[in-house]
Amino acid sequence: MEKNIMSLTMYQASIPSFARMLGNLSAILDKAATHAKAKKIDPSVFINARLAPDMYPLSRQVQIATDLVKGCAARLAGMDVPSYADNETTFDELQARIAKTVAFLQSVTAAQIDGSEERNITLKFGPKEFHFLGQPYLLDFVYPNFHFHLTTAYAILRHNGVDLGKMDYVGSD
Amino acid sequence: MEKNIMSLTMYQASIPSFARMLGNLSAILDKAATHAKAKKIDPSVFINARLAPDMYPLSRQVQIATDLVKGCAARLAGMDVPSYADNETTFDELQARIAKTVAFLQSVTAAQIDGSEERNITLKFGPKEFHFLGQPYLLDFVYPNFHFHLTTAYAILRHNGVDLGKMDYVGSD
């Protein structure tokens, strides 16, 4: 465990946590793919599974979770947000999206993120705009939304019988 | 929105976010109680609902979510962790637990929490001990676990037909 922490920074509160949680998500999806293979279940059953008819399926949960953190890293750093096609339909494709997102996160440096507490952030959802400062964007928007989609992905798989435990979600390193 | 943010602190990254998310949880449980009443469903059906046979029911999700943040606030501040009886079986009792937790969070000051990045934190689960420093305890343990149980509570209710949307989870203020 890192002993030389100093003061909490915007970088520490974002990029390493995001990368760590995406690593856990990747391991969870691997377990789901292995389970599907062992039980001879078409993997698309899991990829398209939902907890309620008007909730997103597993694939979309992974897409949104990755969108949230690539968007956060880019916006806090003042960069353009990378655009992904949202066309993943297999476990391998979802894994590739996660790996691409982690690589992007790791390309952003602490120097780019630190000091972004008061950076002006604008999010556009169709015609609506939402304005945040960097710190509440991270704490009140990205964090809850990111964990919401990660947990929902986990819960979809648990509900469908994949043998996972909370340590798979939280990680143990 | 707060304009005078300065640098991210351990207090800002914990107590206000926790209180806000517990407020959202309270509103979600209110909607579930109202739904049960309108549909003449015994509220205990929701209180005892689970997403999988070996996942905790709604009541326990709320208990653990509140435990995580009262534990975090107390440990970062170097105080004894308040002990709750874990005997809630109704929506009113769960609401009382949430209100009690929020009141405790609000009793802890920024001066008590700030600077706790390297505070030694020990968690005991039965015979096992886990050692953290304050910052990784907050970022890698409390945050993922707290959101995990909040989202699972939400997902249990969504899966059981309560009319909720993600704005109920994330909040809109």
Side-chain angles (χ1 to χ4, degrees):
Chain A
M1 192 170 288
E2 181 62 54
K3 282 284 176 190
N4 185 16
I5 289 181
M6 312 282 290
S7 286
L8 184 60
T9 64
M10 289 292 283
Y11 179 82
Q12 287 162 355
S14 58
I15 307 300
S17 292
F18 296 161
R20 174 190 161 89
M21 293 306 294
L22 288 183
N24 297 348
L25 177 63
S26 170
I28 285 168
L29 294 180
D30 266 346
K31 285 197 178 182
T34 301
H35 176 89
K37 199 166 188 179
K39 299 280 183 184
K40 302 192 196 316
I41 299 166
D42 182 338
S44 69
V45 171
F46 293 105
I47 303 283
N48 297 316
R50 303 166 191 261
L51 286 176
D54 57 346
M55 288 181 82
Y56 286 126
L58 178 65
S59 54
R60 191 82 192 109
Q61 302 294 343
V62 174
Q63 287 166 352
I64 299 175
T66 47
D67 277 351
L68 282 158
V69 294
K70 75 177 163 63
C72 180
R75 292 188 183 103
L76 291 180
M79 301 160 63
D80 289 336
V81 180
S83 177
Y84 297 169
D86 295 339
N87 57 0
E88 295 84 1
T89 60
T90 67
F91 280 116
D92 282 350
E93 287 168 1
L94 291 174
Q95 292 287 4
R97 185 184 180 109
I98 293 170
K100 186 166 55 171
T101 307
V102 171
F104 175 68
L105 294 176
Q106 289 172 342
S107 77
V108 180
T109 65
Q112 289 173 289
I113 300 276
D114 284 344
S116 59
E117 282 91 343
E118 302 193 39
R119 182 181 283 273
N120 286 297
I121 306 283
T122 301
L123 301 184
K124 289 178 189 161
F125 297 102
K128 281 195 185 171
E129 283 198 355
F130 295 88
H131 299 276
F132 292 92
L133 296 183
Q135 183 178 303
Y137 166 66
L138 173 63
L139 297 176
D140 300 337
F141 180 82
V142 176
Y143 247 102
N145 276 289
F146 178 54
H147 283 282
F148 178 92
H149 291 287
L150 291 180
T151 301
T152 304
Y154 170 96
I156 288 169
L157 293 170
R158 282 288 263 112
H159 181 65
N160 281 278
V162 178
D163 186 19
L164 298 168
K166 205 173 62 173
M167 288 311 287
D168 292 302
Y169 183 78
V170 177
S172 56
D173 60 339
Chain B
M1 192 169 287
E2 180 62 54
K3 282 285 176 189
N4 186 15
I5 288 181
M6 313 281 292
S7 286
L8 183 61
T9 64
M10 289 292 284
Y11 179 82
Q12 287 163 356
S14 57
I15 306 302
S17 291
F18 296 161
R20 174 189 162 87
M21 293 304 296
L22 288 183
N24 297 348
L25 177 64
S26 170
I28 285 168
L29 294 180
D30 267 345
K31 285 197 178 182
T34 301
H35 176 88
K37 200 166 186 179
K39 299 281 184 183
K40 301 192 196 317
I41 298 166
D42 183 338
S44 69
V45 171
F46 293 106
I47 303 282
N48 297 316
R50 304 166 192 261
L51 286 176
D54 57 347
M55 286 181 84
Y56 285 126
L58 179 65
S59 55
R60 190 83 193 109
Q61 303 293 345
V62 175
Q63 289 165 351
I64 299 175
T66 47
D67 277 351
L68 282 158
V69 293
K70 74 176 163 63
C72 180
R75 291 187 183 103
L76 291 180
M79 301 160 64
D80 289 336
V81 180
S83 178
Y84 297 169
D86 294 339
N87 56 0
E88 294 84 1
T89 60
T90 68
F91 280 116
D92 283 349
E93 288 169 0
L94 291 174
Q95 291 287 4
R97 184 184 181 109
I98 293 169
K100 187 166 56 172
T101 307
V102 171
F104 175 68
L105 294 176
Q106 289 171 341
S107 76
V108 180
T109 66
Q112 289 173 289
I113 300 276
D114 283 343
S116 59
E117 282 91 342
E118 301 194 39
R119 182 180 282 274
N120 287 299
I121 307 283
T122 301
L123 301 184
K124 290 179 190 161
F125 296 102
K128 281 195 186 173
E129 283 198 354
F130 294 88
H131 299 277
F132 292 92
L133 296 183
Q135 183 178 303
Y137 165 66
L138 173 63
L139 297 176
D140 300 337
F141 180 83
V142 176
Y143 247 102
N145 276 289
F146 178 54
H147 283 281
F148 178 93
H149 292 286
L150 292 180
T151 302
T152 304
Y154 170 97
I156 288 170
L157 293 170
R158 282 288 263 111
H159 182 66
N160 281 277
V162 178
D163 186 19
L164 299 168
K166 205 173 64 174
M167 288 311 287
D168 294 301
Y169 183 78
V170 177
S172 56
D173 60 336

